[in-house]
Amino acid sequence: MTEAMGAGEHRRHEGLLADLLSSRTYRVALYVLLALPAGGLVAALLTGGVVGGVLTLPLLVGAPLLLGALWLVGALADVQRVLAALLGVNFERAHLPRAYRGVLPWLRDTLADPSTYRALLFHAVQLPLAAMCWVVLVALLVLMLAGISAPLWVLSSGAPPVVWREWTLVPDESVVVGLVLIGLGSALVLGGVLNLMGRLWTRLTLGLLAPDRRDEAARREVVALRRAAGRVALGDDLGVTLADLATQAWTASTARSVALVASDGTPHAISGEEHPALAGLPDGAPVPGEANVQVTPDGGTLVSLPVTLPPSAGTLDGGTLRALYLGGTRPGTEELAFLLSIADHAGTALHASQLIERAGARAGEQERARLARELHDSVAQALYGITLGAKTARATLDRDPGRARESLDYTIRLAEGGVSEMKALLFSLRPDALEEGGLIAALTQHAHALEARHGLQVHAELRAEPHLTPDAQAAAYRVAQEALHNVVKHARATQVWLSVHEALGVVTVSVRDDGRGFDPSSQGRGTLGQRSMRERAAGAGGTLDVQSAPGEGTIVTLRLPAAVAASLQREEAHA
């Protein structure tokens, strides 16, 4: 809600004609002029609805009339809020009306809403108050018109003398002047009375028709806390998260500005007005769970709340949340609790950032160790073999050219194997290869890596890129990767057949080997790897079939709906 009180409230006019020269005076006069018929209409509608509803209640017509009268209380209050614009009071309307499922929820919520009774009280007071204002204004207006028009009805028509006891008053020029002065004085009084009436109606409108500020503040705080929790849960960039937390605290509170400040006094984020008190080391560190209230040199109020971290963070000091208020004002306990919750969210974000940084460093160390092992077991061995083969070829080049040629062929094969191993390592270090090249390119690279690393003969039938959603594409790659890993680890196979086909809205990924196979019935629901593959297939809307027998190899078949087919299925389900 915004209030523009006009010239009579916010600006002080000098001189006797201040009220008469203010446009607000005439807007108030128009409001008072409309208040009486509006109050009469409201009283007639509500009284008629209630009385008619009570009298016709046994005829089953009264209940709708009573419900209609209750609805009119809020609807007519909205009309009164529109008329309040003449007084300079503007109410912000809700963006979306409340939705109810049935009459009883609406009735229960309306009867429990305090604004319903405040609006009813306004309707009850409006008619008698407007009538009283009319009587006063009409009396002043008649006196003003009679005094100002005295020269017309006294001098021109020859008014008779006025006799009272022994006094006799004969109208003459001096009497006319006195009446004119009374009329002008009445005009001045009329302007002042209209100004007072405007203040009266404004206070009444704000007191009875304004929405409950506490409910609105609570709603804003709940929305801000929900957004803050969502922002922290996303684990986004720390600077963006803290800036959004400061914005939420500033938007939902009455503070002029809110800042999140590090323990060394450096601001992480500031929302609202810039102020020197929002940076630098605090004069006194706030106690955990409490607020430190100070007065700034320019008379403002600075509230500092601690941003605490859990003991696992290594330090409890995460800085402070500082809120700056106008001089002489101080937030209530509810707002302080809200700001303390925002400070706790900031501490959680700082701790999460520390954990992510530690996890990244640990993951980097583990990845470097794994890469060192891979290089030692593959590329380093290949380089050692290349060196040994080259030395052998050089030693036997003159006396045994045939053996030297065999050594060179062996060296070439080792070099090619080393190149393939290096490509496989580079591919494994690039998790975005699937997004960049697609499923076919990723499976092709993986097949080359299998041939280079494990000596398997991979028969890949990988043609056109299938139409799969990103989630289904990732599931297909992971399932094929797990199936090929099982071939290497368990099957003792020498050949693998890998194929991807799309037909009739279904994408089929098949992995078949000539290994030793197994008995599916003896494994129940399968190994952990099989359960993982089935979960991935089900998560992408597909199915997984595993066929095997001892000594006959294994066939893993994944079937996924194509992207177009999946969208059609979703549309049919919604329809």
Side-chain angles (χ1 to χ4, degrees):
M1 182 195 66
T2 59
E3 179 185 349
M5 299 299 294
E9 291 282 28
H10 291 305
R11 295 193 302 270
R12 177 183 297 177
H13 288 285
E14 302 295 338
L16 295 175
L17 301 179
D19 292 323
L20 293 178
L21 295 178
S22 173
S23 61
R24 172 178 165 77
T25 301
Y26 301 98
R27 286 189 280 109
V28 171
L30 180 59
Y31 179 86
V32 174
L33 182 65
L34 296 175
L36 185 62
L41 179 61
V42 169
L45 290 175
L46 294 180
T47 304
V50 173
V51 174
V54 171
L55 294 178
T56 59
L57 193 58
L59 303 177
L60 301 180
V61 183
L65 288 177
L66 291 175
L67 291 176
L70 183 60
W71 176 82
L72 279 175
V73 173
L76 294 174
D78 290 335
V79 176
Q80 300 287 2
R81 294 186 182 98
V82 174
L83 289 177
L86 294 173
L87 301 173
V89 180
N90 299 313
F91 296 94
E92 295 179 357
R93 298 180 60 86
H95 297 290
L96 292 175
R98 295 180 181 179
Y100 299 96
R101 294 184 179 273
V103 177
L104 290 180
W106 171 82
L107 180 62
R108 183 171 56 251
D109 188 74
T110 303
L111 292 177
D113 190 358
S115 62
T116 301
Y117 304 97
R118 293 200 302 268
L120 186 61
L121 179 60
F122 182 88
H123 297 325
V125 171
Q126 183 183 26
L127 182 60
L129 184 60
M132 183 184 67
C133 292
W134 268 53
V135 171
V136 174
L137 292 180
V138 168
L140 289 174
L141 188 61
V142 169
L143 187 60
M144 180 191 71
L145 294 177
I148 294 177
S149 61
L152 299 177
W153 61 270
V154 172
L155 298 180
S156 62
S157 59
V162 179
V163 179
W164 185 71
R165 294 182 180 181
E166 69 274 9
W167 298 94
T168 301
L169 178 63
V170 179
D172 56 6
E173 289 80 1
S174 61
V175 174
V176 172
V177 172
L179 292 175
V180 171
L181 291 177
I182 292 175
L184 294 177
S186 300
L188 296 177
V189 172
L190 180 61
V193 169
L194 282 173
N195 189 10
L196 291 177
M197 288 182 179
R199 292 173 180 267
L200 172 64
W201 284 102
T202 298
R203 297 293 182 266
L204 186 66
T205 303
L206 290 174
L208 298 180
L209 296 182
D212 197 334
R213 294 177 181 269
R214 292 176 298 178
D215 293 343
E216 182 66 20
R219 186 190 66 81
R220 289 198 308 267
E221 291 175 0
V222 169
V223 172
L225 287 175
R226 185 176 69 242
R227 288 194 57 181
R231 169 65 70 181
V232 173
L234 285 176
D236 205 348
D237 179 77
L238 179 61
V240 176
T241 300
L242 295 180
D244 190 72
L245 290 176
T247 301
Q248 295 303 321
W250 175 61
T251 303
S253 67
T254 59
R256 294 168 55 191
S257 55
V258 174
L260 287 168
V261 186
S263 56
D264 60 354
T266 304
H268 287 302
I270 297 177
S271 290
E273 302 177 9
E274 298 281 348
H275 195 275
L278 299 177
L281 295 175
D283 295 338
V287 179
E290 298 183 3
N292 184 14
V293 181
Q294 298 175 339
V295 178
T296 60
D298 57 354
T301 302
L302 179 66
V303 178
S304 300
L305 299 104
V307 177
T308 57
L309 280 71
S312 59
T315 176
L316 297 179
D317 188 7
T320 56
L321 184 148
R322 303 181 188 180
L324 183 65
Y325 294 84
L326 293 173
T329 61
R330 180 171 178 169
T333 55
E334 293 84 1
E335 185 164 320
L336 286 177
F338 162 70
L339 293 176
L340 188 59
S341 299
I342 293 293
D344 291 339
H345 281 303
T348 302
L350 289 170
H351 187 218
S353 177
Q354 293 179 359
L355 292 178
I356 292 173
E357 185 177 355
R358 294 176 188 174
R362 179 62 177 167
E365 294 176 358
Q366 293 177 349
E367 183 63 21
R368 286 192 293 271
R370 186 190 69 83
L371 182 59
R373 290 193 302 268
E374 294 284 351
L375 289 173
H376 178 269
D377 295 339
S378 57
V379 179
Q381 297 294 334
L383 293 175
Y384 176 75
I386 290 172
T387 302
L388 184 61
K391 290 181 177 179
T392 303
R394 184 180 62 183
T396 59
L397 182 60
D398 295 332
R399 66 175 184 271
D400 193 351
R403 186 179 178 185
R405 187 178 298 107
E406 292 177 358
S407 298
L408 289 176
D409 292 338
Y410 172 74
T411 303
I412 292 173
R413 287 195 300 271
L414 286 177
E416 292 175 347
V419 171
S420 299
E421 287 280 357
M422 184 59 69
K423 287 182 178 180
L425 285 174
L426 292 175
F427 179 77
S428 65
L429 293 175
R430 292 191 59 195
D432 59 345
L434 180 63
E435 298 179 2
E436 293 182 357
L439 178 62
I440 297 301
L443 290 178
T444 301
Q445 290 284 351
H446 197 70
H448 291 331
L450 285 176
E451 291 180 335
R453 283 185 169 186
H454 306 288
L456 283 174
Q457 185 176 359
V458 182
H459 305 277
E461 189 178 351
L462 307 172
R463 297 176 183 175
E465 182 73 20
H467 296 86
L468 291 174
T469 62
D471 293 339
Q473 189 181 67
Y477 177 71
R478 297 305 178 189
V479 169
Q481 188 181 43
E482 181 65 25
L484 293 171
H485 173 74
N486 290 337
V487 171
V488 173
K489 187 176 181 180
H490 305 292
R492 298 179 184 175
T494 58
Q495 297 185 84
V496 180
W497 288 264
L498 174 63
S499 64
V500 177
H501 297 286
E502 180 178 354
L504 301 177
V506 177
V507 177
T508 304
V509 180
S510 176
V511 178
R512 180 169 63 90
D513 64 76
D514 61 351
R516 59 180 181 173
F518 62 94
D519 184 6
S521 61
S522 64
Q523 294 188 346
R525 294 180 55 87
T527 62
L528 180 61
Q530 287 191 37
R531 289 197 297 271
S532 176
M533 288 191 291
R534 294 185 189 279
E535 291 174 359
R536 289 185 183 275
T543 59
L544 184 74
D545 180 38
V546 179
Q547 299 178 1
S548 184
E552 297 182 5
T554 303
I555 303 175
V556 178
T557 305
L558 171 67
R559 294 181 178 87
L560 295 170
V564 177
S567 62
L568 291 176
Q569 290 177 1
R570 287 194 296 268
E571 292 178 0
E572 292 176 357
H574 289 304

